[in-house]
Amino acid sequence: MNAVLFDMDGVLVNSEDYWVEFEREEILPWVVPDQDVDVAEVSGMNFREIYDYLEVEYETAVSREAYIERFSAAAEELYTERVDLLDGAHDLLERLDDEGVPTAVVSSSPHQWIGWVVERFDLEGEFDHVISADDIDAASKPEPDVFEYAADEVGVPAAECVVVEDSENGIEAAARADTVVVAYRIDAHGDIDRSAADAVVDSPAELQGTVLELVA
C-alpha cells in the first residue's frame, strides 16, 4: 500500500464517544421528535447532510439554521476542550513519513473543525493533505466520493490506499472506493456492520501495527 487515509472523528480523536451520545440524546429527539432513528444511520455523515437526510427520510421539527447553530457550538467545545488524540498518533505519522508513505486526514467534518484538532494537538504539517467532504460537490459517506477524491489528491490509486475508519458509513464508503479498509472498533458504535472492512482492530497499538504491516 502506498498511502494512508485517516478518518478524524473516532479515529484520530475520540470525538465519536461524544457525538454518538449527543446525536442520540439531543439532536435526533430534537430534530425528529416523533421518530425512532438509529444513530448508526447518520454516523460518519457531514453534519449538514445529517439534517438533509433527516428532512428527506423523516419530518424535521426544527429549522436547518437552528440545527447548524446548535451543532456548530457543540463542535467548538468538543474539539477545543474535550477530545483526546489517538494514542501513538504522532509516532505512527512519523514512521509513515520515514517510509515515504503519503498521509491524509479525510473527514466529513468542515475544515474549521479539522483545524481545531490540528492546532490543539500540534498536527500542523504532520499530514500531506487535509481533506474535508466540504471540498467536493458530492454526497457524503457512505458514498465513496470523498475517498476517491482523496486518492486523486495524494496521487495514489484508491486500490493502493489504506483507509482507517470507525463508522459503518465510513467503512462502507471506503470499501466502495476500492481501498483497503482498516476498521477501528470503538465502544461508541457498538455492534455495527464491519464486514466490508479488510481488517478490524481494537486498540491504538493494533491499529498502528496493522497499518505499518500493510505499507511495509
Side-chain angles (χ1 to χ4, degrees), residues 201-215:
V201 298
D202 296 285
S203 69
E206 190 178 359
L207 188 159
Q208 178 167 316
T210 300
V211 168
L212 292 174
E213 183 179 346
L214 286 168
V215 300

Side-chain angles (χ1 to χ4, degrees), residues 58-187:
Y58 305 95
E59 184 175 349
T60 54
V62 302
S63 70
R64 195 172 193 271
E65 292 73 17
Y67 163 88
I68 288 175
E69 182 177 352
R70 184 168 179 177
F71 222 112
S72 298
E76 183 170 10
E77 177 189 354
L78 173 65
Y79 294 120
T80 61
E81 299 178 17
R82 300 181 62 169
V83 297
D84 296 312
L85 185 67
L86 174 75
D87 287 344
H90 284 286
D91 178 59
L92 175 56
L93 292 168
E94 183 178 349
R95 293 181 68 176
L96 291 170
D97 184 57
D98 288 344
E99 294 293 329
V101 178
T103 57
V105 180
V106 183
S107 176
S108 293
S109 293
H111 272 289
Q112 184 181 41
W113 300 9
I114 303 170
W116 287 329
V117 169
V118 167
E119 180 178 355
R120 183 178 175 199
F121 296 110
D122 297 321
L123 293 168
E124 188 72 43
E126 295 280 338
F127 295 96
D128 296 288
H129 299 271
V130 176
I131 296 166
S132 164
D134 286 350
D135 294 337
I136 59 174
D137 183 19
S140 187
K141 305 169 188 178
E143 298 302 319
D145 304 69
V146 71
F147 288 119
E148 293 170 346
Y149 173 82
D152 286 341
E153 285 293 291
V154 300
V156 174
E160 297 177 17
C161 293
V162 176
V163 171
V164 184
E165 264 286 358
D166 64 296
S167 71
E168 186 170 336
N169 284 328
I171 292 166
E172 181 181 345
R176 290 172 64 185
D178 197 30
T179 67
V180 174
V181 188
V182 176
Y184 183 41
R185 193 197 310 271
I186 60 174
D187 292 340

